[in-house]
Each structure stands twice: as structure tokens, then as C-alpha cells.
Amino acid sequence: MSLIAALAFASGFTLYSHIEATRFGLPVPVVIGLIYMAVIVCATALSTYFLPGLRRVTDTVAMTRLAFALWVAGTQSHEIAASPTISAAIVVGGAIFVLQTGSLVQKLAGNRPDFGFVPHIVGNTRLFLAWLDNACEYQGARVQPVFAGKTPRTVV
């Protein structure tokens, strides 16, 4: 929840960073960021309490909201952010796109990536590159066996 609060504050601050006024002794972007944070954290807490299956969606919406705010600030397209319908469609549509792309990648790669091959690659690479520098052989380096395949090999 604290990540969502930080993302909400950052997006509210970024969307209104072009305003150089103060309210309540604070710059307007800070006030708007705090309001964004309070409203979005309450809405997220209620939605995840009543619909716990939407937790991934609320996290993704928080990230796309910040990405939208950074895009608006970078391109100075504040008129797009002024329209609630267009900005909500972009933020929610972006979240749906990110979630669908992530699930597609998961389906293509399987549910869990298998990184069991990494020690074999490291061991075989060290074995292959051992001939380049044999300085460790006459400096008293230890040689340890590596079982990268069916036969044991030594790695320097």
C-alpha cells in the first residue's frame, strides 16, 4: 500500500508541477500530490478489501498513472490531463495493456522461468576461458571440480 501511496503522490505532484502557486503554505503540486495520495489510497484500500482479486490491477493502474503523469509533464500536454474521461481511458487502458502483455509473456514462457542452466553456463565458460590465462596455475590458485555435465571437469 505504501508503494501505491508513493506512486499516487508522485503522479499528482508531476501532473501539477507546472503550477507555481502556494496554498496553505505549501506549493500547489505538493498539496495536489497529498490529495491524490489520500484519495487513491482510500479507493485502493476499499477495492482490495472488497475485491481482493483486483490487487494486481490496482498496482498496475498506479504505475500507469505515474507513467501518464510523466508523459504529460514531458510533452506539456496538460489539456489531455484536464479531461477526466480521456486521462482515465489512457490510464486504465494502459493498465489493461500491461496486464495482458504480462500474462501473454507468462503463457509463452511458462508459469515460472527456469534459471537452472546458469551454473552450467558459468562453469563451462570458466573451463573454456581457462586456457587464456594460466597464470593462476603457478600462483597457487585452488582448482575445484564442476559438474556441468555428465563428466566432472575442473575449474580454475
Side-chain angles (χ1 to χ4, degrees):
M1 192 64 75
S2 60
L3 177 66
I4 291 177
L7 291 174
F9 176 80
S11 62
F13 181 86
T14 305
L15 276 175
Y16 292 91
S17 62
H18 66 283
I19 298 175
E20 296 180 8
T22 58
R23 296 289 182 254
F24 311 114
L26 295 170
V28 168
V30 172
V31 173
I32 297 294
L34 292 172
I35 292 170
Y36 259 62
M37 184 176 66
V39 170
I40 290 172
V41 165
C42 289
T44 301
L46 288 173
S47 66
T48 55
Y49 179 74
F50 290 113
L51 301 167
L54 291 180
R55 178 166 170 72
R56 287 184 57 224
V57 174
T58 56
D59 293 345
T60 310
V61 166
M63 288 187 289
T64 57
R65 185 182 305 112
L66 180 60
F68 174 70
L70 290 171
W71 177 76
V72 166
T75 60
Q76 299 295 318
S77 305
H78 298 289
E79 60 275 354
I80 293 175
S83 171
T85 307
I86 293 174
S87 62
I90 291 172
V91 168
V92 174
I96 291 170
F97 176 76
V98 168
L99 286 171
Q100 289 301 315
T101 305
S103 65
L104 177 65
V105 169
Q106 243 181 2
K107 286 178 185 173
L108 290 175
N111 289 337
R112 259 177 59 191
D114 182 24
F115 295 112
F117 61 88
V118 173
H120 301 298
I121 291 174
V122 172
N124 290 336
T125 304
R126 285 183 183 164
L127 180 65
F128 176 72
L129 295 178
W131 66 271
L132 287 176
D133 185 21
N134 62 357
C136 59
E137 289 179 350
Y138 54 84
Q139 289 179 357
R142 292 184 341 180
V143 176
Q144 57 186 356
V146 174
F147 297 96
K150 294 182 180 179
T151 61
R153 299 177 184 165
T154 57
V155 173
V156 179

